[in-house]
Amino acid sequence: MRQLPRRSPDSPLLTSRRGLLLGTAAAGAALATGCTSNENNDDPEGAQQPADTTGDKPGKPVTIGFAGPQADHGWLNAINEQGKRRAEQYEDVTLVSTEGSNDTAQQIGQIETLINKKVDVLVILPADGKALTRVGLKAMRSGIPVVNLDRVFNSPQAYRCWIGGDNYGMGLNAGRFIGERLKGKKNAKVVELAGLDNLELTRQRTQGFDDALKNYPNVTKVARQAAEFTVESGQQKMSALLQAQPEFDALWNHDDDQGIGAERAIKQAGRDEFLMVGGAGSKHAMDAIKADNTVLKATVLYPPTMAASAIDLARALGQGRGVSGLAELEIPASLTLYSAVVTKENVDEYLPTGFS
């Protein structure tokens, strides 16, 4: 996401505990890639115990440090909210969260403060995975397990468990949906409104989309524009696409926030000959899909519920539990969430997970 102005490194830490729960979606296909070897900490109560098959039975108190992003985008705000609300569900969890920052130096300072507070577990969504690898390593070497959320650190030694979305899978499923919808049309044309091209996740989404279209020889991608995950850039870049392409059959937009701008440009141009597929799973997009009165016919999820699941994993690590539903005594080293396609047929199922 875009870099925002630097905020004061003296920003206060916020502590939250108990409240309402926004349930996490079960929209996750867990990919267990093995377990890394590192002890929870020196506390014998944190040592390996038999798996807790209920998952919600109170255990020993756990303090979780949460270092999330600055909420400058609907999805990022949802990440912070999901994490906090999940922690509030548990009587045995105290969440100490930073103010949130997209500034690397500031976020490193915030995480070091959490390390000095000796929290039991850390959940970190780094502003830049590569730049924050060092502080992840510092936490792990000090005996604090790290749950790395979404943007991955450069070294697996910097985290105990990674959980995040499937960017390649987003593009793949968007391409499959569009390909199936255009299967019977000769010489079908599609365009792509991507995100920031300097981000690996954008390249992965495009690669998945292109790979899916290879299975539909009647479908050709005729244009691509990179936007910036903002409403303004979405409107500007979509306007350029519409001017350059007088007619096409489908649009794959990487992000529902920038999609709001794209929808404005489409409406202003008076175009409706194509279908649009969004990305991430905002409430706005789901409402439009349900109403079925615009070109937006589907969105591919990149679930912010991963933050709630990260709290579950952090709690399990802090209490030496396994994960409910798995036979293993240890939590897995990696969990990749599935990018489900939300359509008019299943939108009611996913609406509770839509973010503003």
Coordinates of all heavy atoms in Angstrom, one line a residue, residues 181-275:
R181 N -17.3 -17.5 -17.7 CA -18.4 -16.6 -18.1 C -18.3 -16.3 -19.6 O -19.3 -16.0 -20.3 CB -18.4 -15.3 -17.3 CG -18.9 -15.5 -15.8 CD -20.3 -15.8 -15.7 NE -21.2 -14.6 -16.1 CZ -21.7 -13.8 -15.3 NH1 -21.4 -13.9 -14.0 NH2 -22.4 -12.8 -15.7
L182 N -17.1 -16.3 -20.2 CA -16.9 -15.9 -21.6 C -16.6 -17.1 -22.5 O -16.3 -17.0 -23.6 CB -15.8 -14.9 -21.7 CG -15.9 -13.6 -20.9 CD1 -14.7 -12.7 -21.1 CD2 -17.2 -12.8 -21.3
K183 N -16.9 -18.3 -21.9 CA -16.5 -19.5 -22.6 C -17.1 -19.6 -24.0 O -16.5 -20.1 -24.9 CB -16.9 -20.7 -21.8 CG -16.0 -21.9 -21.9 CD -16.3 -22.9 -20.8 CE -15.4 -24.1 -20.9 NZ -15.6 -25.1 -19.8
G184 N -18.3 -19.2 -24.1 CA -19.0 -19.3 -25.4 C -18.9 -18.2 -26.4 O -19.5 -18.2 -27.5
K185 N -18.1 -17.2 -26.0 CA -17.9 -16.0 -26.8 C -16.6 -16.0 -27.7 O -15.6 -16.2 -27.1 CB -17.9 -14.7 -26.0 CG -17.9 -13.4 -26.7 CD -18.1 -12.3 -25.8 CE -18.0 -10.9 -26.6 NZ -19.1 -10.8 -27.6
K186 N -16.7 -15.8 -29.0 CA -15.6 -15.8 -29.8 C -14.8 -14.4 -29.6 O -15.4 -13.4 -29.5 CB -16.0 -15.9 -31.3 CG -16.5 -17.3 -31.6 CD -16.8 -17.4 -33.1 CE -17.3 -18.8 -33.5 NZ -17.6 -18.9 -35.0
N187 N -13.5 -14.6 -29.7 CA -12.6 -13.4 -29.6 C -13.0 -12.4 -28.4 O -13.1 -11.2 -28.6 CB -12.7 -12.6 -30.9 CG -12.3 -13.5 -32.1 OD1 -11.3 -14.2 -32.0 ND2 -13.1 -13.3 -33.2
A188 N -13.2 -13.0 -27.3 CA -13.5 -12.2 -26.1 C -12.3 -11.4 -25.7 O -11.1 -11.9 -25.7 CB -14.0 -13.1 -25.0
K189 N -12.5 -10.2 -25.2 CA -11.5 -9.3 -24.8 C -11.6 -9.0 -23.3 O -12.7 -8.7 -22.8 CB -11.5 -8.0 -25.6 CG -11.3 -8.2 -27.1 CD -11.4 -6.9 -27.8 CE -11.3 -7.0 -29.3 NZ -11.5 -5.7 -30.0
V190 N -10.5 -9.0 -22.5 CA -10.5 -8.6 -21.1 C -9.5 -7.6 -20.9 O -8.5 -7.5 -21.6 CB -10.3 -9.8 -20.2 CG1 -11.4 -10.9 -20.4 CG2 -9.0 -10.4 -20.3
V191 N -9.7 -6.7 -19.9 CA -8.7 -5.8 -19.4 C -8.5 -5.9 -17.9 O -9.3 -6.6 -17.2 CB -9.2 -4.3 -19.7 CG1 -9.4 -4.1 -21.2 CG2 -10.4 -4.0 -18.9
E192 N -7.3 -5.4 -17.5 CA -6.9 -5.6 -16.1 C -6.6 -4.3 -15.4 O -5.8 -3.5 -16.0 CB -5.7 -6.5 -16.0 CG -5.2 -6.8 -14.6 CD -4.0 -7.7 -14.6 OE1 -3.5 -8.0 -15.7 OE2 -3.5 -8.1 -13.5
L193 N -7.2 -4.0 -14.3 CA -6.8 -2.8 -13.5 C -6.1 -3.3 -12.3 O -6.7 -3.8 -11.3 CB -8.1 -2.1 -13.0 CG -7.8 -0.7 -12.3 CD1 -7.1 0.3 -13.1 CD2 -9.2 -0.2 -11.8
A194 N -4.7 -3.3 -12.3 CA -3.9 -3.9 -11.3 C -3.7 -2.9 -10.1 O -4.1 -1.7 -10.2 CB -2.6 -4.3 -11.9
G195 N -2.9 -3.4 -9.1 CA -2.5 -2.5 -8.0 C -1.1 -1.9 -8.3 O -0.7 -1.8 -9.4
L196 N -0.4 -1.6 -7.2 CA 0.9 -1.0 -7.3 C 1.9 -2.0 -7.9 O 2.1 -3.1 -7.4 CB 1.4 -0.6 -6.0 CG 0.8 0.7 -5.4 CD1 1.1 0.8 -3.9 CD2 1.5 1.9 -6.1
D197 N 2.5 -1.7 -9.0 CA 3.4 -2.6 -9.7 C 4.7 -2.9 -9.0 O 5.4 -3.8 -9.3 CB 3.6 -2.1 -11.1 CG 2.8 -2.8 -12.2 OD1 2.2 -3.9 -11.8 OD2 2.7 -2.4 -13.3
N198 N 5.1 -2.0 -8.0 CA 6.3 -2.3 -7.3 C 6.1 -3.3 -6.2 O 7.1 -3.6 -5.5 CB 6.9 -1.0 -6.8 CG 6.0 -0.3 -5.7 OD1 4.8 -0.6 -5.7 ND2 6.6 0.5 -4.9
L199 N 4.9 -3.8 -6.0 CA 4.7 -4.8 -5.0 C 4.6 -6.2 -5.6 O 4.0 -6.4 -6.6 CB 3.3 -4.5 -4.3 CG 3.2 -3.2 -3.5 CD1 1.8 -3.0 -2.9 CD2 4.3 -3.1 -2.4
E200 N 5.2 -7.1 -4.9 CA 5.3 -8.5 -5.3 C 3.8 -9.1 -5.4 O 3.5 -9.8 -6.3 CB 6.1 -9.3 -4.4 CG 6.2 -10.8 -4.8 CD 6.8 -11.1 -6.1 OE1 7.6 -10.2 -6.6 OE2 6.5 -12.2 -6.7
L201 N 3.0 -8.7 -4.5 CA 1.6 -9.2 -4.5 C 0.9 -8.8 -5.8 O 0.0 -9.6 -6.3 CB 0.8 -8.7 -3.3 CG 0.5 -7.2 -3.1 CD1 -0.8 -6.8 -3.7 CD2 0.5 -6.8 -1.6
T202 N 1.1 -7.6 -6.3 CA 0.5 -7.2 -7.6 C 1.0 -8.1 -8.7 O 0.2 -8.6 -9.5 CB 0.8 -5.8 -7.9 OG1 0.3 -4.9 -6.8 CG2 0.2 -5.3 -9.2
R203 N 2.2 -8.4 -8.8 CA 2.8 -9.2 -9.8 C 2.2 -10.7 -9.7 O 1.9 -11.3 -10.7 CB 4.3 -9.2 -9.7 CG 4.9 -7.9 -10.1 CD 6.4 -8.0 -10.2 NE 7.1 -8.2 -9.0 CZ 7.5 -7.2 -8.2 NH1 7.3 -5.9 -8.5 NH2 8.2 -7.4 -7.1
Q204 N 2.0 -11.1 -8.5 CA 1.5 -12.5 -8.3 C 0.0 -12.5 -8.7 O -0.4 -13.5 -9.3 CB 1.6 -12.9 -6.8 CG 3.0 -13.1 -6.3 CD 3.1 -13.3 -4.8 OE1 2.2 -13.0 -4.1 NE2 4.3 -13.7 -4.3
R205 N -0.7 -11.5 -8.4 CA -2.1 -11.5 -8.9 C -2.3 -11.5 -10.4 O -3.1 -12.1 -11.0 CB -2.8 -10.3 -8.3 CG -3.0 -10.4 -6.8 CD -3.7 -9.1 -6.1 NE -3.6 -9.2 -4.7 CZ -4.2 -8.4 -3.8 NH1 -4.8 -7.3 -4.3 NH2 -4.1 -8.5 -2.5
T206 N -1.4 -10.7 -11.0 CA -1.4 -10.7 -12.5 C -1.0 -12.0 -13.1 O -1.6 -12.5 -14.0 CB -0.5 -9.5 -13.0 OG1 -1.0 -8.3 -12.7 CG2 -0.3 -9.6 -14.5
Q207 N 0.1 -12.6 -12.5 CA 0.5 -13.9 -13.0 C -0.5 -15.0 -12.9 O -0.8 -15.8 -13.8 CB 1.8 -14.4 -12.2 CG 2.4 -15.6 -12.8 CD 2.9 -15.4 -14.2 OE1 3.8 -14.6 -14.4 NE2 2.4 -16.2 -15.1
G208 N -1.3 -15.0 -11.8 CA -2.3 -16.0 -11.6 C -3.4 -15.8 -12.6 O -4.0 -16.7 -13.2
F209 N -3.8 -14.5 -12.9 CA -4.8 -14.2 -13.9 C -4.4 -14.6 -15.3 O -5.1 -15.3 -16.0 CB -5.0 -12.7 -13.8 CG -6.2 -12.2 -14.7 CD1 -7.5 -12.6 -14.5 CD2 -5.9 -11.3 -15.8 CE1 -8.5 -12.1 -15.3 CE2 -7.0 -10.9 -16.6 CZ -8.3 -11.3 -16.3
D210 N -3.1 -14.3 -15.6 CA -2.6 -14.7 -17.0 C -2.6 -16.2 -17.1 O -2.9 -16.7 -18.2 CB -1.2 -14.1 -17.2 CG -1.3 -12.6 -17.3 OD1 -2.4 -12.0 -17.5 OD2 -0.2 -11.9 -17.3
D211 N -2.2 -16.9 -16.1 CA -2.1 -18.3 -16.2 C -3.5 -19.0 -16.3 O -3.7 -19.9 -17.1 CB -1.4 -18.9 -14.9 CG 0.1 -18.7 -14.9 OD1 0.6 -18.2 -15.9 OD2 0.7 -19.0 -13.9
A212 N -4.5 -18.4 -15.6 CA -5.8 -18.9 -15.8 C -6.4 -18.7 -17.2 O -7.0 -19.6 -17.8 CB -6.8 -18.2 -14.8
L213 N -6.1 -17.6 -17.8 CA -6.6 -17.3 -19.1 C -6.0 -18.2 -20.2 O -6.6 -18.3 -21.3 CB -6.3 -15.8 -19.5 CG -7.1 -14.8 -18.7 CD1 -6.8 -13.4 -19.2 CD2 -8.6 -15.0 -18.7
K214 N -4.8 -18.8 -19.9 CA -4.2 -19.7 -20.9 C -5.1 -20.9 -21.2 O -5.0 -21.5 -22.2 CB -2.9 -20.2 -20.4 CG -1.8 -19.1 -20.3 CD -0.5 -19.7 -19.6 CE 0.5 -18.6 -19.5 NZ 1.7 -19.1 -18.8
N215 N -6.1 -21.2 -20.3 CA -7.0 -22.3 -20.5 C -8.2 -21.9 -21.3 O -9.1 -22.8 -21.5 CB -7.4 -22.8 -19.1 CG -6.3 -23.4 -18.3 OD1 -5.5 -24.2 -18.8 ND2 -6.2 -22.9 -17.0
Y216 N -8.3 -20.7 -21.7 CA -9.4 -20.2 -22.5 C -8.9 -19.5 -23.7 O -8.7 -18.3 -23.8 CB -10.3 -19.2 -21.6 CG -10.8 -19.8 -20.4 CD1 -10.0 -19.7 -19.2 CD2 -11.9 -20.6 -20.3 CE1 -10.5 -20.3 -18.0 CE2 -12.4 -21.2 -19.2 CZ -11.6 -21.1 -18.0 OH -12.1 -21.6 -16.8
P217 N -8.6 -20.3 -24.8 CA -8.0 -19.7 -26.0 C -8.9 -18.6 -26.7 O -8.3 -17.9 -27.5 CB -7.8 -20.9 -26.9 CG -8.7 -22.0 -26.3 CD -8.8 -21.7 -24.9
N218 N -10.1 -18.6 -26.4 CA -11.0 -17.6 -27.0 C -10.9 -16.2 -26.3 O -11.5 -15.2 -26.8 CB -12.5 -18.1 -27.0 CG -13.0 -18.2 -25.6 OD1 -12.4 -18.9 -24.7 ND2 -14.1 -17.6 -25.3
V219 N -10.2 -16.2 -25.1 CA -10.1 -15.0 -24.4 C -8.7 -14.4 -24.4 O -7.7 -15.0 -24.2 CB -10.5 -15.2 -22.9 CG1 -10.4 -14.0 -22.1 CG2 -11.9 -15.9 -22.8
T220 N -8.7 -13.1 -24.7 CA -7.4 -12.4 -24.8 C -7.4 -11.1 -23.9 O -8.4 -10.3 -23.9 CB -7.1 -11.9 -26.3 OG1 -7.2 -13.0 -27.1 CG2 -5.8 -11.2 -26.4
K221 N -6.3 -11.0 -23.2 CA -6.2 -9.7 -22.4 C -5.6 -8.7 -23.3 O -4.5 -8.8 -23.8 CB -5.3 -10.0 -21.2 CG -5.2 -8.7 -20.3 CD -4.5 -9.1 -18.9 CE -3.0 -9.1 -19.1 NZ -2.3 -9.3 -17.8
V222 N -6.3 -7.6 -23.5 CA -5.9 -6.6 -24.5 C -5.3 -5.3 -23.9 O -4.7 -4.5 -24.6 CB -7.1 -6.2 -25.4 CG1 -7.6 -7.4 -26.2 CG2 -8.3 -5.6 -24.5
A223 N -5.5 -5.2 -22.5 CA -4.9 -4.0 -21.9 C -4.8 -4.2 -20.4 O -5.5 -5.0 -19.8 CB -5.8 -2.7 -22.2
R224 N -3.8 -3.4 -19.8 CA -3.6 -3.5 -18.4 C -3.1 -2.1 -17.9 O -2.3 -1.5 -18.6 CB -2.5 -4.5 -18.0 CG -2.2 -4.7 -16.6 CD -1.0 -5.7 -16.4 NE -0.7 -5.9 -15.0 CZ 0.1 -5.2 -14.2 NH1 0.6 -4.1 -14.7 NH2 0.3 -5.5 -12.9
Q225 N -3.7 -1.7 -16.8 CA -3.2 -0.4 -16.2 C -3.0 -0.7 -14.7 O -3.7 -1.4 -14.1 CB -4.3 0.6 -16.3 CG -4.4 1.3 -17.6 CD -3.4 2.5 -17.8 OE1 -2.7 2.8 -16.8 NE2 -3.3 3.0 -19.0
A226 N -1.9 -0.1 -14.2 CA -1.6 -0.3 -12.8 C -2.1 1.0 -12.0 O -1.7 2.1 -12.4 CB -0.1 -0.5 -12.6
A227 N -2.9 0.7 -11.0 CA -3.3 1.8 -10.1 C -2.6 1.8 -8.8 O -1.5 1.2 -8.7 CB -4.9 1.7 -9.9
E228 N -3.1 2.4 -7.7 CA -2.4 2.5 -6.5 C -3.2 2.1 -5.3 O -2.9 2.6 -4.1 CB -1.9 4.0 -6.3 CG -1.0 4.4 -7.4 CD -0.7 5.9 -7.3 OE1 -1.1 6.6 -6.4 OE2 0.0 6.4 -8.3
F229 N -4.2 1.3 -5.4 CA -5.1 0.8 -4.3 C -5.8 2.0 -3.7 O -6.2 1.9 -2.5 CB -4.2 0.1 -3.2 CG -3.7 -1.2 -3.7 CD1 -2.3 -1.4 -3.8 CD2 -4.5 -2.3 -4.1 CE1 -1.7 -2.6 -4.2 CE2 -3.9 -3.5 -4.5 CZ -2.5 -3.6 -4.6
T230 N -6.1 3.0 -4.4 CA -6.9 4.2 -3.9 C -8.0 4.4 -4.8 O -8.0 4.1 -6.0 CB -6.0 5.4 -3.8 OG1 -5.6 5.9 -5.1 CG2 -4.8 5.2 -2.9
V231 N -9.1 5.1 -4.3 CA -10.3 5.4 -5.1 C -9.9 6.3 -6.2 O -10.3 6.2 -7.4 CB -11.3 6.1 -4.2 CG1 -12.5 6.6 -5.0 CG2 -11.8 5.1 -3.1
E232 N -9.0 7.3 -5.9 CA -8.6 8.3 -6.9 C -7.9 7.7 -8.1 O -8.2 8.0 -9.3 CB -7.8 9.4 -6.3 CG -8.5 10.3 -5.2 CD -8.6 9.5 -3.9 OE1 -7.9 8.5 -3.7 OE2 -9.5 10.0 -3.1
S233 N -6.9 6.9 -7.8 CA -6.1 6.2 -8.8 C -7.0 5.2 -9.6 O -6.8 5.1 -10.8 CB -4.9 5.5 -8.2 OG -5.3 4.4 -7.5
G234 N -7.9 4.6 -8.9 CA -8.8 3.7 -9.6 C -9.7 4.4 -10.7 O -9.8 3.9 -11.8
Q235 N -10.2 5.6 -10.3 CA -11.0 6.3 -11.3 C -10.1 6.8 -12.4 O -10.5 6.7 -13.6 CB -11.6 7.5 -10.5 CG -12.6 8.3 -11.4 CD -13.4 9.3 -10.6 OE1 -13.3 9.4 -9.4 NE2 -14.2 10.1 -11.3
Q236 N -8.9 7.3 -12.1 CA -8.1 7.9 -13.2 C -7.6 6.8 -14.2 O -7.7 7.0 -15.4 CB -6.8 8.5 -12.5 CG -5.9 9.1 -13.5 CD -4.6 9.6 -12.9 OE1 -4.4 9.4 -11.7 NE2 -3.7 10.3 -13.6
K237 N -7.1 5.7 -13.6 CA -6.6 4.6 -14.5 C -7.7 3.9 -15.3 O -7.6 3.5 -16.4 CB -5.8 3.6 -13.7 CG -4.6 4.2 -13.0 CD -3.6 4.8 -14.0 CE -2.4 5.3 -13.3 NZ -1.4 5.8 -14.2
M238 N -8.9 3.8 -14.6 CA -10.0 3.2 -15.3 C -10.5 4.0 -16.5 O -10.9 3.5 -17.6 CB -11.2 2.9 -14.4 CG -12.3 2.0 -15.0 SD -11.7 0.3 -15.3 CE -12.3 0.0 -16.9
S239 N -10.5 5.3 -16.3 CA -10.9 6.3 -17.3 C -9.9 6.1 -18.5 O -10.4 6.1 -19.7 CB -10.8 7.7 -16.8 OG -11.8 8.0 -15.9
A240 N -8.6 5.9 -18.3 CA -7.7 5.7 -19.3 C -8.0 4.4 -20.1 O -7.9 4.3 -21.3 CB -6.3 5.7 -18.8
L241 N -8.3 3.4 -19.3 CA -8.6 2.1 -20.0 C -9.8 2.2 -20.9 O -9.9 1.7 -22.0 CB -8.8 1.0 -18.9 CG -7.6 0.3 -18.3 CD1 -8.1 -0.6 -17.2 CD2 -6.9 -0.5 -19.4
L242 N -10.9 2.9 -20.4 CA -12.1 3.0 -21.1 C -11.9 3.8 -22.4 O -12.5 3.5 -23.5 CB -13.2 3.7 -20.3 CG -13.7 2.8 -19.1 CD1 -14.5 3.7 -18.1 CD2 -14.5 1.7 -19.6
Q243 N -11.0 4.8 -22.3 CA -10.8 5.6 -23.5 C -10.0 4.8 -24.6 O -10.2 5.0 -25.8 CB -10.0 6.9 -23.1 CG -10.9 7.9 -22.4 CD -10.0 9.0 -21.8 OE1 -8.9 9.2 -22.2 NE2 -10.6 9.8 -20.9
A244 N -9.0 4.0 -24.1 CA -8.2 3.2 -25.0 C -8.9 2.0 -25.6 O -8.5 1.6 -26.7 CB -6.9 2.8 -24.2
Q245 N -9.9 1.5 -24.9 CA -10.6 0.3 -25.3 C -12.1 0.6 -25.5 O -12.8 0.6 -24.5 CB -10.4 -0.8 -24.3 CG -8.9 -1.2 -24.0 CD -8.2 -1.8 -25.3 OE1 -8.9 -2.5 -26.0 NE2 -7.0 -1.5 -25.4
P246 N -12.5 0.8 -26.7 CA -13.9 1.2 -27.0 C -14.9 0.0 -26.6 O -16.1 0.3 -26.4 CB -13.9 1.5 -28.4 CG -12.7 0.9 -29.0 CD -11.7 0.9 -28.0
E247 N -14.4 -1.2 -26.6 CA -15.2 -2.3 -26.3 C -14.4 -3.5 -25.7 O -13.4 -3.8 -26.3 CB -16.0 -2.7 -27.5 CG -17.0 -3.8 -27.3 CD -17.8 -4.2 -28.5 OE1 -17.9 -3.3 -29.4 OE2 -18.3 -5.3 -28.6
F248 N -14.9 -4.1 -24.7 CA -14.3 -5.3 -24.1 C -15.4 -6.1 -23.3 O -16.5 -5.6 -23.1 CB -13.1 -5.0 -23.3 CG -13.3 -4.0 -22.2 CD1 -13.7 -4.4 -20.9 CD2 -13.0 -2.7 -22.4 CE1 -13.8 -3.5 -19.9 CE2 -13.2 -1.7 -21.3 CZ -13.6 -2.2 -20.1
D249 N -15.0 -7.3 -22.9 CA -16.0 -8.1 -22.3 C -15.9 -8.3 -20.8 O -16.9 -8.7 -20.2 CB -16.0 -9.5 -23.0 CG -16.2 -9.4 -24.5 OD1 -17.3 -9.1 -24.9 OD2 -15.2 -9.6 -25.2
A250 N -14.8 -8.1 -20.2 CA -14.6 -8.3 -18.8 C -13.4 -7.5 -18.3 O -12.5 -7.2 -19.0 CB -14.4 -9.8 -18.5
L251 N -13.6 -7.1 -17.0 CA -12.5 -6.3 -16.3 C -12.2 -7.1 -15.0 O -13.1 -7.4 -14.2 CB -13.1 -4.9 -15.9 CG -12.3 -4.2 -14.8 CD1 -10.9 -3.8 -15.3 CD2 -13.1 -2.9 -14.4
W252 N -10.9 -7.3 -14.7 CA -10.4 -7.8 -13.4 C -9.7 -6.7 -12.7 O -8.7 -6.1 -13.2 CB -9.4 -9.0 -13.7 CG -8.4 -9.3 -12.7 CD1 -7.1 -9.6 -12.9 CD2 -8.5 -9.5 -11.3 NE1 -6.4 -9.9 -11.8 CE2 -7.3 -9.9 -10.7 CE3 -9.6 -9.5 -10.4 CZ2 -7.1 -10.1 -9.4 CZ3 -9.4 -9.7 -9.0 CH2 -8.1 -10.1 -8.5
N253 N -10.3 -6.3 -11.6 CA -9.8 -5.2 -10.8 C -9.2 -5.8 -9.5 O -9.9 -6.5 -8.8 CB -10.9 -4.2 -10.4 CG -10.6 -3.3 -9.3 OD1 -9.5 -2.7 -9.3 ND2 -11.4 -3.3 -8.3
H254 N -8.0 -5.5 -9.2 CA -7.3 -6.1 -8.1 C -7.8 -5.8 -6.7 O -7.5 -6.5 -5.7 CB -5.8 -5.8 -8.1 CG -5.0 -6.5 -9.2 ND1 -3.6 -6.7 -9.1 CD2 -5.4 -7.0 -10.4 CE1 -3.2 -7.3 -10.2 NE2 -4.2 -7.5 -11.0
D255 N -8.5 -4.6 -6.5 CA -8.7 -4.1 -5.2 C -10.1 -3.4 -5.2 O -10.3 -2.5 -6.0 CB -7.6 -3.2 -4.8 CG -7.8 -2.6 -3.4 OD1 -7.7 -3.3 -2.4 OD2 -8.2 -1.4 -3.4
D256 N -10.9 -3.8 -4.2 CA -12.2 -3.2 -4.1 C -12.3 -1.7 -3.7 O -13.2 -1.0 -4.1 CB -13.1 -4.0 -3.1 CG -13.5 -5.3 -3.7 OD1 -13.6 -5.5 -4.9 OD2 -13.8 -6.3 -2.9
D257 N -11.2 -1.2 -3.0 CA -11.2 0.2 -2.7 C -11.0 1.0 -4.0 O -11.7 2.0 -4.3 CB -10.1 0.5 -1.7 CG -10.5 0.4 -0.3 OD1 -11.5 -0.3 0.0 OD2 -10.0 1.1 0.6
Q258 N -10.0 0.6 -4.8 CA -9.7 1.3 -6.0 C -10.9 1.0 -7.0 O -11.2 1.8 -7.9 CB -8.4 1.0 -6.7 CG -8.3 -0.4 -7.2 CD -6.9 -0.7 -7.8 OE1 -5.9 -0.1 -7.3 NE2 -6.8 -1.6 -8.7
G259 N -11.6 -0.1 -6.8 CA -12.8 -0.4 -7.6 C -13.9 0.6 -7.5 O -14.7 0.8 -8.4
I260 N -14.0 1.3 -6.3 CA -15.0 2.4 -6.2 C -14.7 3.5 -7.2 O -15.7 4.0 -7.9 CB -15.0 2.9 -4.7 CG1 -15.4 1.9 -3.7 CG2 -15.9 4.2 -4.6 CD1 -15.3 2.3 -2.3
G261 N -13.5 3.8 -7.3 CA -13.1 4.8 -8.4 C -13.4 4.3 -9.8 O -13.8 5.0 -10.6
A262 N -13.0 3.0 -10.0 CA -13.3 2.4 -11.3 C -14.8 2.5 -11.7 O -15.1 2.8 -12.8 CB -12.8 1.0 -11.3
E263 N -15.6 2.1 -10.7 CA -17.1 2.2 -10.9 C -17.5 3.6 -11.3 O -18.4 3.8 -12.1 CB -17.8 1.7 -9.7 CG -17.6 0.2 -9.4 CD -18.3 -0.2 -8.1 OE1 -19.5 -0.2 -8.0 OE2 -17.5 -0.5 -7.1
R264 N -16.9 4.6 -10.7 CA -17.3 6.0 -11.0 C -16.9 6.3 -12.4 O -17.7 6.9 -13.2 CB -16.6 7.0 -10.1 CG -17.1 6.9 -8.6 CD -16.2 7.9 -7.8 NE -16.6 7.8 -6.3 CZ -16.0 8.3 -5.3 NH1 -14.8 9.0 -5.6 NH2 -16.4 8.2 -4.1
A265 N -15.8 5.9 -12.8 CA -15.3 6.1 -14.2 C -16.2 5.4 -15.2 O -16.6 6.0 -16.3 CB -13.9 5.7 -14.4
I266 N -16.6 4.2 -14.9 CA -17.5 3.4 -15.7 C -18.8 4.1 -15.9 O -19.4 4.2 -17.0 CB -17.6 2.0 -15.2 CG1 -16.3 1.2 -15.3 CG2 -18.7 1.2 -15.9 CD1 -16.2 0.0 -14.5
K267 N -19.4 4.5 -14.8 CA -20.7 5.2 -14.8 C -20.6 6.5 -15.6 O -21.5 6.8 -16.4 CB -21.1 5.5 -13.4 CG -22.6 6.0 -13.3 CD -23.0 6.1 -11.8 CE -24.4 6.6 -11.7 NZ -24.9 6.8 -10.3
Q268 N -19.6 7.3 -15.4 CA -19.4 8.5 -16.1 C -19.3 8.3 -17.6 O -19.8 9.1 -18.4 CB -18.2 9.3 -15.6 CG -18.4 9.9 -14.2 CD -17.1 10.4 -13.7 OE1 -16.0 10.4 -14.3 NE2 -17.1 11.0 -12.4
A269 N -18.7 7.2 -18.0 CA -18.5 6.9 -19.4 C -19.7 6.2 -20.0 O -19.8 6.1 -21.3 CB -17.3 6.0 -19.6
G270 N -20.7 5.9 -19.2 CA -21.9 5.2 -19.7 C -21.7 3.9 -20.3 O -22.4 3.4 -21.2
R271 N -20.7 3.1 -19.8 CA -20.4 1.8 -20.3 C -21.0 0.7 -19.5 O -20.9 0.8 -18.2 CB -18.8 1.7 -20.4 CG -18.1 2.7 -21.2 CD -18.1 2.3 -22.7 NE -17.3 1.1 -22.9 CZ -16.0 1.2 -23.2 NH1 -15.3 2.3 -23.2 NH2 -15.3 0.0 -23.4
D272 N -21.5 -0.3 -20.1 CA -22.0 -1.5 -19.3 C -22.0 -2.7 -20.2 O -22.7 -3.7 -19.9 CB -23.5 -1.2 -18.9 CG -24.4 -1.0 -20.1 OD1 -24.0 -1.1 -21.2 OD2 -25.6 -0.7 -19.8
E273 N -21.1 -2.8 -21.2 CA -21.1 -4.0 -22.1 C -20.3 -5.1 -21.5 O -20.2 -6.2 -22.1 CB -20.6 -3.6 -23.5 CG -19.1 -3.5 -23.6 CD -18.5 -2.1 -23.1 OE1 -19.2 -1.3 -22.6 OE2 -17.3 -2.0 -23.3
F274 N -19.6 -4.9 -20.4 CA -18.7 -5.9 -19.8 C -19.1 -6.2 -18.4 O -19.9 -5.5 -17.7 CB -17.3 -5.4 -19.9 CG -17.1 -4.0 -19.2 CD1 -16.8 -4.0 -17.8 CD2 -17.3 -2.8 -19.8 CE1 -16.6 -2.8 -17.1 CE2 -17.1 -1.6 -19.2 CZ -16.8 -1.6 -17.8
L275 N -18.5 -7.3 -17.9 CA -18.7 -7.7 -16.5 C -17.4 -7.3 -15.7 O -16.3 -7.3 -16.3 CB -19.0 -9.1 -16.3 CG -18.0 -10.2 -16.7 CD1 -17.1 -10.6 -15.4 CD2 -18.6 -11.4 -17.3

